[in-house]
């Protein structure tokens, strides 16, 4: 019975030395890896290649901005009918990006532009307008219609300045 008591009193303790060595080794290797990447010893772009790109960028003169004009379209308030029969309104304002040489021609066509915008926006369903990606499709549709009205090459883009449904 005395032997059994001695066995119960002396449980073998596992050494913590491998755990401590593992943690220290992990910290040293992690710090060394961080230093190698941070200092550019690993995964750094070739300095000559980067220097050549920077020199090429500094030598190139800035390209002049294209000669465009922005023609403002009067704000529109369009009545919309949703599926529940409630009347809602859309407030829409845009600017047209046109080449400088066609600015006066597009200004002359503004009443026709307003007519096309009114007709198209009234025909669009409210549920389609509330879709988050609707503005991209709507903008493309409006641009295509305005290019037909103004003539090819006269309207480069439509910038939607205000689009509020209430």
């Amino acid at each position: 019975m005395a032997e059994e008591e001695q066995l119960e009193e002396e449980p073998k303790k596992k050494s913590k030395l491998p755990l401590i060595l593992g943690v220290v080794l992990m910290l040293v290797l992690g710090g060394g890896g961080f230093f190698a990447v941070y200092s550019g010893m690993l995964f750094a772009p070739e300095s000559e290649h980067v220097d050549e790109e920077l020199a090429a960028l500094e030598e190139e003169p800035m390209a002049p901005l294209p000669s465009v004009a922005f023609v403002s379209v009067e704000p529109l308030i369009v009545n919309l009918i949703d599926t529940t029969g409630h009347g809602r309104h859309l407030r829409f304002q845009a600017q047209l990006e046109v080449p400088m040489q066609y600015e006066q021609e597009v200004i002359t066509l503004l009443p026709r532009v307003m007519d096309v915008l009114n007709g198209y926006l009234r025909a669009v369903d409210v549920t389609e307008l509330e879709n988050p990606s609707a503005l991209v499709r709507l903008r493309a549709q409006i641009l295509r219609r305005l290019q037909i009205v103004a003539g090819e090459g006269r309207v480069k883009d439509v910038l939607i300045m205000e689009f509020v449904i209430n």
Side-chain angles (χ1 to χ4, degrees):
M1 201 152 156
E3 290 177 14
E4 289 177 13
E5 286 180 20
Q6 281 183 344
L7 289 177
E8 290 178 11
E9 290 177 10
E10 297 180 23
K12 288 189 175 180
K13 293 185 179 181
K14 292 186 180 181
S15 174
K16 293 186 180 180
L17 184 63
L19 178 65
I20 293 172
L21 285 176
V23 169
V24 169
L25 188 61
M26 180 185 69
L27 290 173
V28 169
L29 290 175
F34 173 77
F35 175 75
V37 172
Y38 186 75
S39 66
M41 293 164 61
L42 293 177
F43 307 120
E46 296 177 20
S47 63
E48 291 177 10
H49 181 57
V50 172
D51 291 341
E52 289 172 6
E53 287 181 4
L54 288 175
L57 287 176
E58 290 173 357
E59 291 174 4
E60 286 182 23
M62 294 292 287
L65 292 175
S67 62
V68 295
F70 294 96
V71 177
S72 184
V73 176
E74 293 179 26
L76 290 172
I77 297 177
V78 180
N79 292 328
L80 303 171
I81 307 269
D82 61 6
T83 55
T84 61
H86 294 98
R88 297 178 73 182
H89 296 88
L90 167 66
R91 181 165 167 83
F92 179 84
Q93 186 176 8
Q95 289 195 9
L96 308 178
E97 181 180 341
V98 299
M100 195 69 87
Q101 67 264 25
Y102 298 124
E103 181 180 12
Q104 285 305 317
E105 293 176 23
V106 172
I107 289 173
T108 305
L109 292 173
L110 274 178
R112 189 172 298 259
V113 167
M114 295 292 287
D115 179 57
V116 169
L117 288 174
N118 264 320
Y120 175 67
L121 292 173
R122 286 182 195 276
V124 178
D125 191 27
V126 175
T127 56
E128 186 179 331
L129 292 176
E130 290 174 340
N131 187 351
S133 64
L135 204 55
V136 175
R137 287 192 308 271
L138 191 73
R139 187 172 175 216
Q141 289 288 330
I142 290 172
L143 177 61
R144 184 65 193 132
R145 282 170 170 73
L146 295 181
Q147 286 174 338
I148 290 170
V149 167
E152 200 64 38
R154 286 189 169 85
V155 178
K156 292 175 79 175
D157 202 1
V158 175
L159 307 169
I160 297 177
M161 308 309 286
E162 188 173 3
F163 190 85
V164 179
I165 299 173
N166 58 7

